[in-house]
């Protein structure tokens, strides 16, 4: 339980002149971190002393060129890190009229405000996707009888490996995860909700069990991924390596884990740490994963790490606080089905003992391809036009096919026609 008036606890006295100083204090950003960010992201090389003069005294370099470059870099820093919205960015250089210091309460408020600003800025710059699909339905009894099927081929829960579709792009993802274990790389698999990440991960597990018995998969057992930390990861490694007795000292425990990983590698084994729902990990855990990944025996990495998450994982990895991890990670995006849409539909129907041509005509699949396009909308201030985005991910395809089969059955159509699919195409 927090102490009374904890939110009023002072963290720093006011040592700045311009508003940028308060914003940095609220975020706990140092001049060193600011200088590093400017160098890496704005191509502006400056010293901590120069930044200190600007923030504490509003004392700028005399020469015009470095002064203007610094101002542009600081504006970019403030916008991209959510300190202020783009339309008000000029305010960071104004005098801060308040004399009160930064407190825990103001820091908490600023953190939540910053999060909202970052999300809004990213949606404006990177765009947000809009797609109009029908609400998900169950396959109706009438549709089951009409098409003479017992099991729903579009059930998102897969109970047999025979029902898994892997095209060339999806197989590349599977092979990449296996290679992550063999070589010991750092990998992040990012995909939209319903893109098939979990299916590919489960298929990878089956592939490893069948063809790569020397690969040992380590998966933390915590259901709430937000609570995964160094202790959860250590326990998962110990469970896989059958380490039963551990000392209380964290240093001695880490030493034993390293020794056992080394012994296992020398015996010909390879290790991979798989973490699903990786977008829910906190920054401190991600930093610890980088330290774990750096364990090696000579040039041989003791463990590969693969984090799997939704598109929010991109935002987590773009944080300045985990840049050392982000610079080293091999990021792979789960692609939509795209031109493999027909092969996916055919595979799912054949797995349900159906003849694809008797369920859907080829022209209808072409219309589905058009219906499964979303629109990426950018902020007005970016000046960028809307873009068409392929959203033919398995979950969206399954939803659309269920609705089309239900409609075909209701209308008494022998199969799904192009006219039926045309209703879902965005005009």
């Amino acid at each position: 339980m927090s102490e009374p008036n904890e939110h009023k606890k002072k963290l720093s006295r006011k040592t700045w002149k311009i508003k940028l100083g308060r914003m940095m204090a609220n975020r706990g950003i140092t001049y060193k971190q600011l200088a590093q960010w400017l160098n890496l992201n704005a191509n502006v090389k400056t010293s901590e002393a120069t930044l200190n003069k600007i923030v504490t005294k509003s004392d700028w370099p005399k020469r015009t060129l470095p002064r203007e470059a610094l101002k542009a870099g600081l504006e970019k820093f403030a916008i991209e890190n959510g300190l202020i919205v783009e339309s008000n960015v000029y305010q960071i250089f104004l005098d801060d009229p308040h004399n009160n210091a930064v407190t825990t309460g103001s820091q908490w408020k600023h953190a939540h405000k910053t999060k909202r600003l970052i999300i809004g800025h990213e949606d404006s710059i990177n765009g947000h996707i809009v797609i109009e699909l029908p609400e998900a339905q169950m396959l109706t009894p009438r549709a089951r009888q009409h098409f003479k099927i017992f099991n729903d081929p579009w059930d998102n829960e897969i109970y047999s490996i025979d029902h898994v579709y892997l095209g060339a792009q999806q197989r590349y993802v599977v092979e990449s995860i296996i290679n992550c274990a063999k070589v010991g790389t750092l990998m992040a698999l990012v995909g939209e909700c319903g893109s098939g990440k979990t299916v590919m991960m489960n298929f990878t597990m089956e592939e490893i069990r069948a063809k790569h018995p020397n690969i040992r998969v380590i998966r933390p057992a915590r259901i709430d991924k937000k609570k995964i930390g160094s202790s959860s990861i250590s326990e998962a490694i110990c469970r896989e390596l059958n380490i039963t007795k551990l000392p209380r000292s964290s240093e001695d425990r880490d030493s034993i884990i390293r020794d056992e990983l080394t012994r296992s590698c020398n015996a010909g084994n390879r290790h991979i740490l798989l973490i699903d729902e990786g977008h829910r990990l906190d920054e401190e855990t991600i930093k610890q994963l980088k330290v774990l990944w750096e364990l090696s025996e000579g040039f041989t990495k003791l463990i590969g790490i693969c984090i799997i998450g939704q598109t929010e994982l991109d935002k987590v990895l773009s944080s300045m606080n985990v840049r050392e991890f982000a610079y080293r990670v091999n990021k792979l995006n789960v692609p939509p089905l795209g031109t493999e849409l027909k092969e996916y539909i055919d595979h799912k129907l054949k797995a349900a003992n159906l003849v694809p041509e008797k369920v859907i005509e080829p022209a209808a699949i072409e219309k589905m391809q058009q219906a499964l396009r979303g629109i990426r909308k950018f902020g007005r201030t970016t000046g960028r036009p809307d873009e068409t985005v392929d959203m033919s991910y398995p979950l969206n395809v399954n939803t659309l096919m269920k609705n089309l089969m239900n409609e075909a059955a209701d209308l008494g159509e022998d199969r799904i026609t192009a006219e039926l699919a045309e209703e879902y195409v965005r005009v």
Side-chain angles (χ1 to χ4, degrees):
M1 183 179 293
S2 60
E3 299 178 5
N5 298 321
E6 176 69 19
H7 65 287
K8 296 180 181 179
K9 181 180 178 182
K10 291 184 179 181
L11 296 176
S12 67
R13 60 188 179 87
K14 181 177 177 180
T15 57
W16 54 86
K17 179 175 175 59
I18 60 177
K19 289 186 176 182
L20 177 61
R22 182 176 296 279
M23 295 172 181
M24 290 174 61
N26 274 323
R27 289 281 298 277
I29 298 171
T30 64
Y31 294 116
K32 181 179 180 180
Q33 290 174 325
L34 178 55
Q36 289 175 340
W37 193 96
L38 291 172
N39 184 25
L40 292 171
N41 299 279
N43 197 27
V44 174
K45 294 183 179 180
T46 187
S47 66
E48 297 174 42
T50 299
L51 293 172
N52 186 297
K53 285 183 180 181
I54 293 171
V55 174
T56 60
K57 300 178 182 179
S58 193
D59 185 2
W60 292 85
K62 303 300 181 186
R63 289 187 297 164
T64 303
L65 189 60
R67 182 171 66 248
E68 294 304 317
L70 260 174
K71 283 189 174 181
L74 290 172
E75 288 177 350
K76 182 178 180 182
F77 171 82
I79 294 169
E80 294 192 6
N81 289 279
L83 301 185
I84 197 166
V85 294
E86 187 174 1
S87 58
N88 296 330
V89 70
Y90 68 92
Q91 295 181 5
I92 67 174
F93 303 127
L94 300 181
D95 286 352
D96 182 9
H98 304 291
N99 293 319
N100 56 309
V102 170
T103 64
T104 50
S106 65
Q107 204 171 54
W108 182 88
K109 289 179 182 178
H110 187 84
H112 284 72
K113 180 182 179 181
T114 294
K115 186 176 181 180
R116 292 195 302 271
L117 286 173
I118 288 176
I119 292 172
H121 174 70
E122 287 174 343
D123 281 348
S124 176
I125 298 297
N126 301 323
H128 64 281
I129 297 173
V130 177
I131 181 170
E132 295 179 3
L133 284 177
E135 292 185 9
Q137 300 178 2
M138 298 293 291
L139 204 59
T140 63
R142 177 180 291 182
R144 290 172 184 266
Q145 293 176 8
H146 183 79
F147 289 102
K148 299 180 175 60
I149 56 174
F150 298 99
N151 298 318
D152 183 356
W154 314 111
D155 190 349
N156 293 315
E157 297 299 325
I158 295 177
Y159 302 101
S160 169
I161 197 170
D162 296 332
H163 290 184
V164 176
Y165 171 80
L166 285 184
Q169 299 180 98
Q170 289 75 24
R171 187 163 290 280
Y172 177 79
V173 172
V174 171
E175 292 299 327
S176 296
I177 299 175
I178 293 174
N179 183 69
C180 174
K182 289 180 177 178
V183 182
T185 57
L186 199 57
M187 176 180 172
L189 182 62
V190 182
E192 294 280 350
C193 179
S195 59
K197 301 183 298 296
T198 302
V199 171
M200 283 186 282
M201 186 175 67
N202 291 336
F203 186 90
T204 303
M205 296 288 291
E206 295 286 345
E207 284 278 286
I208 288 174
R209 277 193 284 266
K211 301 178 182 179
H212 306 278
N214 65 318
I215 294 179
R216 307 186 71 169
V217 180
I218 300 163
R219 300 177 73 179
R222 296 300 295 258
I223 296 175
D224 186 353
K225 298 301 186 291
K226 286 184 179 180
K227 295 183 178 179
I228 288 181
S230 57
S231 59
S232 301
I233 294 168
S234 296
E235 289 167 5
I237 295 173
C238 292
R239 187 168 57 250
E240 178 61 31
L241 298 182
N242 298 317
I243 304 173
T244 55
K245 295 182 179 180
L246 286 173
R248 291 185 178 180
S249 165
S250 58
E251 184 173 346
D252 291 340
R253 182 170 63 248
D254 292 345
S255 177
I256 289 175
I257 289 174
R258 179 193 174 95
D259 290 344
E260 287 300 321
L261 282 172
T262 303
R263 188 175 294 110
S264 181
C265 276
N266 291 337
N269 295 318
R270 290 294 176 263
H271 313 92
I272 182 169
L273 175 65
L274 277 179
I275 300 180
D276 200 6
E277 298 291 315
H279 54 277
R280 301 180 68 188
L281 295 175
D282 60 41
E283 292 179 348
E284 192 58 37
T285 301
I286 291 176
K287 291 179 185 177
Q288 292 165 356
L289 288 175
K290 183 252 183 184
V291 174
L292 173 64
W293 172 75
E294 289 178 333
L295 296 178
S296 63
E297 179 69 10
F299 292 108
T300 302
K301 290 290 184 183
L302 299 183
I303 190 168
I305 299 176
C306 179
I307 303 177
I308 302 167
Q310 295 179 18
T311 50
E312 289 84 356
L313 182 56
D314 273 332
K315 298 176 183 178
V316 174
L317 297 180
S318 66
S319 169
M320 183 174 61
N321 297 325
V322 296
R323 59 189 181 281
E324 291 185 0
F325 180 96
Y327 293 159
R328 293 166 174 81
V329 70
N330 299 314
K331 193 180 74 171
L332 189 62
N333 291 300
V334 180
L337 291 164
T339 57
E340 297 178 348
L341 176 61
K342 184 179 187 305
E343 286 77 6
Y344 173 80
I345 292 174
D346 287 353
H347 177 88
K348 300 291 280 187
L349 291 172
K350 288 176 182 177
N353 298 316
L354 295 172
V355 178
E357 292 74 16
K358 293 184 177 181
V359 176
I360 183 170
E361 62 182 31
I365 296 179
E366 294 177 12
K367 294 297 181 182
M368 284 182 64
Q369 190 78 67
Q370 297 175 33
L372 291 165
R373 291 174 184 167
I375 302 296
R376 189 187 300 276
K377 294 182 175 291
F378 298 93
R380 293 180 180 178
T381 58
T382 64
R384 298 179 64 180
D386 294 346
E387 295 178 353
T388 302
V389 183
D390 186 359
M391 295 296 288
S392 57
Y393 294 105
L395 181 63
N396 293 338
V397 176
N398 295 350
T399 298
L400 191 51
M401 279 300 298
K402 285 186 181 185
N403 282 269
L404 287 171
M405 290 181 75
N406 285 342
E407 285 191 30
D410 290 342
L411 295 173
E413 297 280 358
D414 292 336
R415 59 179 180 168
I416 298 169
T417 63
E419 288 73 23
L420 275 177
E422 177 77 34
E423 297 178 12
Y424 295 99
V425 176
R426 179 190 294 269
V427 178

